[in-house]
Amino acid sequence: MTTTVLLASPVTAQTPARFTDDMAERTRACTACHGDQGRAGPDGYYPRLAGKPAGYLHNQLRNFAQGRRHYDLMARLVDPLTDAYLGEMAQYFADLKLPYPAPTTNNAITPERLAKGQQLVTQGDATRGLPACTQCHGIRLTGVQPNVPGLLGLPLDYLNAQLGAWQTGQRRAHAPDCMAEIVKRMPAQDLIAVSSWLARQPLPSDTRPADRPPAGPALPESLRCGSAPELTAARQAHSGGRP
């Protein structure tokens, strides 16, 4: 009796990959809080990442990694990653061009206080040595490449939390820290007026960060921004090199 043994052929078909190994997949931990594609979290405290200047996003990841910003979850997420990889993450989110939602802020504030917020944002206050927000964040307030973020399209709670964090030293940036110096010159009611006015503004049709800072007088030494040296360089060029 002849016994024939049939050997099963090895399986040659490859099991399909369960996910695509790209930056969109690798940053799922970010979008769990910051919303799909970094559009912003639903609770008002996790800001939008999509479309912000890559240099700004990279600086913020560095700030969490190096202790200038304090949020334990972010620190744990970025701690194992190299600086080069943080830069890749920043560039990925910066390249996302997504529409902004309409503003929904309706906190109680008087028209007079809102007008004060608009004045500080668009004109500043020379008596206190406060430049207009537009002087650094761009005429359209959508940011300036490569390191200055936009101020529109941010939730009121986030704006208030970050301005407060600068006042208390919980948020810092590369020295010299221009924002820390600016908020020291502003009482809480002015900070709320500024954030309330900003949070109510619709985005312009072109939401991209400006390619260069707006022309204007040179910033005083106390308001130089270590994380955005291009602001100082642009103004020195505009003023013929005078500090």
Side-chain angles (χ1 to χ4, degrees), residues 47-65:
R48 180 184 179 98
L49 304 177
K52 287 188 174 179
Y56 170 77
L57 292 174
H58 194 181
N59 279 335
Q60 299 318 301
L61 291 170
R62 287 167 169 160
N63 288 342
F64 281 114

Side-chain angles (χ1 to χ4, degrees), residues 149-193:
L151 298 180
L152 302 185
L154 293 169
L156 176 64
D157 288 338
Y158 176 77
L159 288 168
N160 283 335
Q162 298 312 306
L163 291 171
W166 257 303
Q167 275 199 324
T168 61
Q170 291 299 302
R171 178 171 179 174
R172 295 178 289 121
H174 288 284
D177 189 347
C178 54
M179 278 301 302
E181 180 60 32
I182 286 172
V183 297
K184 287 178 184 177
R185 305 180 186 187
M186 300 176 67
Q189 63 179 0
D190 281 355
L191 293 177
I192 293 172

Side-chain angles (χ1 to χ4, degrees), residues 10-241:
V11 177
T12 57
Q14 295 182 350
T15 302
R18 290 180 295 175
F19 59 86
T20 302
D21 186 13
D22 58 13
M23 193 56 74
E25 185 67 33
R26 297 175 191 174
T27 55
R28 282 189 181 273
C30 306
T31 57
C33 293
H34 289 274
D36 180 46
Q37 294 183 291
R39 294 174 186 262
D43 63 357
Y45 287 99
Y46 293 95
R48 180 184 179 98
L49 304 177
K52 287 188 174 179
Y56 170 77
L57 292 174
H58 194 181
N59 279 335
Q60 299 318 301
L61 291 170
R62 287 167 169 160
N63 288 342
F64 281 114
Q66 298 167 12
R68 285 181 290 272
R69 293 187 68 173
H70 302 280
Y71 185 52
D72 192 51
L73 177 58
M74 280 296 302
R76 292 201 307 269
L77 284 172
V78 301
D79 183 63
L81 306 178
T82 66
D83 188 68
Y85 193 79
L86 295 180
E88 291 182 43
M89 292 171 60
Q91 191 63 59
Y92 165 74
F93 282 111
D95 289 340
L96 296 177
K97 310 304 180 188
L98 305 172
Y100 281 76
T104 58
T105 298
N106 58 0
N107 65 310
I109 186 171
T110 66
E112 292 77 17
R113 295 309 304 164
L114 273 181
K116 182 64 173 180
Q118 181 180 15
Q119 175 194 335
L120 290 169
V121 170
T122 60
Q123 301 174 37
D125 185 344
T127 64
R128 287 182 279 172
L130 288 171
C133 300
T134 52
Q135 192 170 340
C136 293
H137 292 270
I139 299 300
R140 293 180 292 117
L141 294 168
T142 56
V144 176
Q145 295 286 10
N147 295 311
V148 182
L151 298 180
L152 302 185
L154 293 169
L156 176 64
D157 288 338
Y158 176 77
L159 288 168
N160 283 335
Q162 298 312 306
L163 291 171
W166 257 303
Q167 275 199 324
T168 61
Q170 291 299 302
R171 178 171 179 174
R172 295 178 289 121
H174 288 284
D177 189 347
C178 54
M179 278 301 302
E181 180 60 32
I182 286 172
V183 297
K184 287 178 184 177
R185 305 180 186 187
M186 300 176 67
Q189 63 179 0
D190 281 355
L191 293 177
I192 293 172
V194 164
S195 60
S196 297
W197 187 83
L198 287 170
R200 283 169 162 76
Q201 304 313 302
L203 273 293
S205 57
D206 184 358
T207 61
R208 295 174 299 175
D211 291 332
R212 61 183 62 85
L219 294 168
E221 188 67 33
S222 61
L223 295 182
R224 301 289 172 88
C225 294
S227 58
E230 67 273 14
L231 294 177
T232 301
R235 286 180 172 79
Q236 284 183 336
H238 176 74
S239 61

